[in-house]
Amino acid sequence: MRTHWCGEIRTEHVGATVIVAGWVHRRRDHGGVIFIDLRDREGLVQVVFRPDAKSDSYSIAEKLRSEFVVAITGKVIARMEGAANPNLPTGDVEIEAEQIEILSESETPPFPIEDRVDVNEETRLKYRYLDLRRPEMQRVMRLRHRVVSAIRNFFDAEGFIDVETPMLNKSTPEGARDYLVPSRLQPGTFFALTQSPQLFKQLLMISGFDRYYQIVRCFRDEDPRADRQPDFTQLDMEMSFTDEATIKDLAQRMFAVACKQAIGVDIQMPFPEMTYTESMDLYGTDKPDLRFGNAMIDVTKVFAKTDVRVFAKVMEAGGIAKALCVEGAGELGRKELDDLSKVARTFGAGGLAWIVIKEDGITSPLANALSPEEVKGLIKVTSSKPGDLVLIVVDKPVVANRSLGAVRLALADSLNLRPQLADDDPEAWKFLWLTEIPLVEWNEKEERWDSVHHPFTAPDPRDEHLLETDPGAVRARAYDVILNGWEAAGGSIRIHRPDMQRRIFALIGLDEETAERRFGWFLRAFDFGAPPHGGIASGIDRFVALLAGKDSIREAMAFPKTSAMTDAMTSAPDVVDEKQLKELRISVLPPAEHGR
């Protein structure tokens, strides 16, 4: 139906007769001559219709409206002097229409098909097929294609085998909640949509495939967040006879190739490394954004003999004092300081103390309570100078780090601390390996240990003797890739011995009977010779969102769910016919009967 894409017409085509097809982006009537911008996925081209045309193309052009789908035959001509559009790749030429066919008409769209559209997300998702026509969304989807293509080519060249694993699986409810699928042929039983191919990729290592990868759809029933979707796409990779160094080398080379082919940037390698403890101490998070500084500073010793009663009371109970020095932020108003205090309280802190450094002293609600020695020591430890703002949280170590880390990120947003760099500037992409991650963490609500990654992660051999006596001190053979404050990938060396796997199950509260019921089929595979193995997984949606400069992974998916985990376009989830429920032997309780 066409000889060329709209966006590829150039001066070398002048004099040629072409056929183009697409959507009417804009129609203009200039004193009897009609111009339209015709759009397809490759861009725009201007088409001109003259009233003296031999065909009826001009009269048809008079009927055109935005988003009509048309096919046009015409001759490419150079634009008149002074009429070129330097902002358009096709701006030096236009097509003089000879024939036009309206392939389909369109109603007036609910929002303009253009970038920077002023419409709420709910409307965009309801009419996602229109939203995807916008050049910006086309750009993101093509970026995603380049990322996936680069990843596939990379792993193929490295000798990996692409193997599909099941979507319908056995429910193993740890971590996120499963999506359950009833079985019609086995009434009363359920499949679970696979949260991750974790167990199957380990079985593939036991099966002798040695190197496996897959770009796979995963499903998790989680609470809404900007970087969460109920169904998402994951790069999954596993290797046999490997170690952490080999997997790290492979993964960072993969990220470098994907970044180069997708956005043309040369990523700096090797990625720097930081332990989990260092990350929490310096940035209050296990996903530090290294595009700006402002690391937290331990000032506990400064206030070791303080007369500030609230400080002294907390530190006597084992608390610490952490500070954040913000250069030149001493002019922040009371409202901004109160907002930062609210952030700290949201993350558990009792409050946020602030001190402005002056030439002749300090300004602070604590000015009269702090001794000259404390002020002098604080200035020295924080390297602060006149005009700087020092923020302090005194609390339990976990709370102090977490809350002041959140304040650091809030300041980055309000003060624009992150540098504005071009996508092809390597400094715009701060990759980091997070290492020595804890194996387990204490779940205060349920009073038990939970796996930080998953229960198939191997403990550090140096810490195995602590599994039963001090589990919280055990480090995992795990590693995360952090990119600009987001977790871009996570992986580990896996457990390959059944005795160790049973120890970990016992540690997280799975007795032998429960472990056998849920994972007996998996453990039996270990009895037939399991090689040492490990791998890593990366969220494709999250990685593409980062590369595209988006704040939500919904912007990197063709048909995402809303923030409420519903589909605005199809109205899913929805009720189903009673006949379907009867076939599955399922009854639905009224909302009042299950607390809603």
Side-chain angles (χ1 to χ4, degrees):
M1 294 184 69
R2 62 187 171 198
T3 60
H4 296 76
W5 299 99
C6 294
E8 70 176 355
I9 305 298
R10 298 290 189 275
T11 53
E12 58 263 31
H13 298 111
V14 169
T17 297
V18 299
I19 305 173
V20 290
W23 286 264
V24 175
H25 187 66
R26 191 175 290 109
R27 174 185 174 277
R28 306 179 301 280
D29 192 332
H30 288 183
V33 177
I34 296 174
F35 294 91
I36 70 164
D37 293 331
L38 192 65
R39 183 191 73 243
D40 62 18
R41 76 172 203 188
E42 298 298 325
L44 299 172
V45 66
Q46 180 170 284
V47 183
V48 58
F49 296 84
R50 305 186 190 282
D52 57 354
K54 296 179 180 179
S55 67
D56 58 354
S57 60
Y58 183 84
S59 61
I60 296 176
E62 290 182 307
K63 304 174 185 177
L64 297 179
R65 298 292 180 269
S66 293
E67 301 310 303
F68 275 32
V69 181
V70 299
I72 295 171
T73 301
K75 181 176 290 187
V76 179
I77 60 174
R79 293 202 192 187
M80 296 176 59
E81 185 176 352
N85 183 352
N87 299 317
L88 202 63
T90 61
D92 291 327
V93 296
E94 60 190 7
I95 298 174
E96 192 169 55
E98 297 172 356
Q99 294 181 352
I100 179 172
E101 179 183 1
I102 297 177
L103 302 175
S104 67
E105 298 183 356
S106 172
E107 298 179 6
T108 301
F111 50 83
I113 310 301
E114 58 191 23
D115 291 342
R116 294 177 295 278
V117 60
D118 184 17
V119 63
N120 63 57
E121 185 183 53
E122 185 79 16
T123 301
R124 287 179 54 210
L125 294 182
K126 181 177 180 180
Y127 298 95
R128 187 62 164 183
Y129 43 87
L130 297 179
D131 191 44
L132 288 171
R133 288 185 193 172
R134 297 190 303 115
E136 171 64 11
M137 290 305 301
Q138 295 263 321
R139 183 185 74 83
V140 174
M141 290 299 108
R142 297 180 72 164
L143 170 65
R144 182 180 178 120
H145 166 74
R146 292 196 299 274
V147 167
V148 171
S149 178
I151 290 172
R152 290 193 182 280
N153 291 337
F154 174 83
F155 281 110
D156 184 60
E158 293 286 337
F160 282 74
I161 298 173
D162 184 350
V163 183
E164 287 187 335
T165 53
M167 291 286 188
L168 296 175
N169 193 10
K170 181 182 178 70
S171 179
T172 55
E174 64 280 327
R177 290 177 292 273
D178 286 331
Y179 281 104
L180 299 178
V181 180
S183 171
R184 179 181 60 83
L185 299 179
Q186 306 294 331
T189 63
F190 295 82
F191 292 106
L193 294 178
T194 301
Q195 292 190 28
S196 167
Q198 180 63 45
L199 301 186
F200 289 100
K201 65 184 177 185
Q202 291 189 243
L203 291 177
L204 287 170
M205 296 303 99
I206 297 173
S207 301
F209 284 89
D210 198 272
R211 292 188 168 200
Y212 141 93
Y213 90 98
Q214 184 181 189
I215 294 177
V216 60
R217 205 71 171 164
C218 300
F219 307 86
R220 293 178 186 172
D221 187 1
E222 298 183 295
D223 294 329
R225 277 170 49 183
D227 60 347
R228 293 283 189 269
Q229 280 279 288
D231 50 342
F232 59 96
T233 304
Q234 177 174 292
L235 163 67
D236 208 44
M237 181 273 280
E238 199 80 1
M239 301 173 67
S240 294
F241 307 106
T242 190
D243 57 17
E244 291 91 331
T246 303
I247 294 173
K248 287 179 185 176
D249 173 70
L250 186 87
Q252 64 189 13
R253 286 192 291 113
M254 181 275 294
F255 277 115
V257 167
C259 288
K260 180 64 175 178
Q261 295 189 23
I263 60 174
V265 64
D266 292 307
I267 296 300
Q268 298 174 352
M269 292 193 298
F271 299 167
E273 296 194 11
M274 183 181 296
T275 68
Y276 175 89
T277 299
E278 290 171 337
S279 181
M280 296 303 296
D281 285 345
L282 292 173
Y283 303 104
T285 176
D286 59 357
K287 296 179 282 290
D289 189 341
L290 302 183
R291 288 174 295 175
F292 65 104
N294 298 92
M296 302 187 303
I297 304 162
D298 193 320
V299 293
T300 305
K301 290 183 179 180
V302 173
F303 300 106
K305 299 179 180 179
T306 186
D307 290 330
V308 180
R309 186 173 302 175
V310 65
F311 284 10
K313 184 177 179 180
V314 172
M315 288 192 288
E316 286 171 5
I320 61 172
K322 297 298 283 281
L324 201 63
C325 179
V326 191
E327 185 178 359
E331 298 299 321
L332 282 183
R334 190 56 183 262
K335 182 182 183 304
E336 288 86 354
L337 293 170
D338 287 344
D339 288 343
L340 292 173
S341 183
K342 290 177 184 176
V343 171
R345 289 192 174 93
T346 297
F347 285 83
L352 179 70
W354 59 268
I355 299 172
V356 176
I357 310 300
K358 300 283 191 179
E359 291 283 358
D360 55 352
I362 63 170
T363 299
S364 170
L366 298 175
N368 295 329
L370 296 176
S371 69
E373 291 76 16
E374 287 173 329
V375 173
K376 184 178 179 180
L378 184 67
I379 291 174
K380 181 179 180 181
V381 172
T382 60
S383 300
S384 52
K385 57 186 185 299
D388 292 349
L389 172 69
V390 178
L391 301 169
I392 302 171
V393 171
V394 181
D395 218 306
K396 294 183 294 185
V398 172
V399 175
N401 287 331
R402 181 177 59 201
S403 58
L404 197 60
V407 170
R408 173 180 177 267
L409 294 177
L411 281 165
D413 291 335
S414 61
L415 301 181
N416 297 317
L417 298 181
R418 300 178 185 88
Q420 302 300 311
L421 302 173
D423 286 351
D424 59 358
D425 187 339
E427 290 299 316
W429 308 101
K430 292 296 186 180
F431 283 90
L432 170 74
W433 280 112
L434 190 76
T435 62
E436 297 190 18
I437 301 166
L439 182 73
V440 292
E441 59 187 353
W442 183 248
N443 185 328
E444 292 186 3
K445 183 178 180 181
E446 300 186 20
E447 296 187 343
R448 62 179 174 82
W449 292 103
D450 287 339
S451 298
V452 172
H453 267 202
H454 52 65
F456 312 101
T457 300
D460 190 315
R462 296 170 294 179
D463 299 335
E464 286 184 13
H465 65 287
L466 300 173
L467 280 171
E468 284 75 26
T469 58
D470 190 7
V474 178
R475 293 164 292 181
R477 296 184 69 180
Y479 33 81
D480 289 342
V481 176
I482 309 303
L483 173 57
N484 293 356
W486 286 32
E487 182 184 324
S492 66
I493 300 300
R494 324 301 188 188
I495 298 168
H496 72 283
R497 300 195 329 261
D499 59 324
M500 177 57 71
Q501 187 63 75
R502 288 187 169 89
R503 284 179 71 184
I504 299 301
F505 283 159
L507 173 60
I508 64 174
L510 291 181
D511 57 41
E512 289 188 20
E513 181 182 348
T514 303
E516 179 64 27
R517 185 177 72 253
R518 293 183 182 174
F519 301 107
W521 59 276
F522 176 67
L523 290 173
R524 277 190 288 279
F526 284 4
D527 297 332
F528 295 92
H533 57 281
I536 196 167
S538 175
I540 295 293
D541 315 292
R542 190 178 300 178
F543 183 44
V544 173
L546 279 164
L547 295 186
K550 303 298 182 182
D551 295 327
S552 168
I553 65 171
R554 294 191 293 275
E555 296 299 308
M557 306 173 76
F559 298 102
K561 308 298 185 291
T562 68
S563 58
M565 300 300 183
T566 61
D567 188 328
M569 185 175 65
T570 67
S571 299
D574 199 1
V575 296
V576 298
D577 294 339
E578 187 67 27
K579 179 181 178 181
Q580 289 178 276
L581 295 176
K582 286 182 177 179
E583 284 183 333
L584 298 170
R585 301 188 185 183
I586 291 177
S587 61
V588 178
L589 296 176
E593 294 189 31
H594 53 86
R596 294 181 62 186

